[in-house]
Amino acid sequence: MPTALLQLLWLASPALPVGGFSYSEGLEAAIDAGVVHDEGSAQGWLLDQLQLALGRSELPLLAQAIAAWVRGDAARVIALNEWALATRETSELRRQSEQMGR
């Protein structure tokens, strides 16, 4: 139990900015605007992010990248990565994607 708690605390630590923990994707703004104010509204906001954003862009791209990786098609993986970076609307979003990928 203590080991599991410690591992959970490491994931929640601001000293470990990795993956989805490094950027909120607008959650702070949604909280400030009162859109997210309790567990139910947080759940709705997260589901919207999955369905409207990730489900339409990131997840299909990830599926293609995994399939290419399994085939050993490194050129396709690189091409998908380059396409993903080129479709980011701003240089800040490109840097965010690159940082989260690392």
Side-chain angles (χ1 to χ4, degrees):
M1 180 78 171
T3 302
L5 177 59
L6 180 58
Q7 290 171 340
L8 182 61
L9 291 173
W10 282 339
L11 275 179
S13 171
L16 184 65
V18 297
F21 300 103
S22 58
Y23 294 95
S24 73
E25 301 296 334
L27 180 56
E28 286 99 342
I31 291 170
D32 286 343
V35 173
V36 174
H37 50 82
D38 61 11
E39 182 180 345
S41 60
Q43 180 183 14
W45 188 87
L46 288 169
L47 288 172
D48 283 347
Q49 293 300 306
L50 287 171
Q51 293 172 350
L52 300 173
L54 292 175
R56 294 179 181 183
S57 60
E58 304 291 333
L59 295 178
L61 181 67
L62 178 60
Q64 289 185 45
I66 290 172
W69 187 263
V70 168
R71 289 191 313 272
D73 188 353
R76 177 70 175 147
V77 173
I78 291 168
L80 288 166
N81 183 62
E82 290 173 352
W83 179 86
L85 291 175
T87 61
R88 297 300 184 240
E89 294 86 352
T90 65
S91 61
E92 291 83 6
L93 288 174
R94 278 190 296 281
R95 283 195 305 273
Q96 174 183 326
S97 293
E98 290 171 330
Q99 290 170 353
M100 288 178 66
R102 274 189 233 110

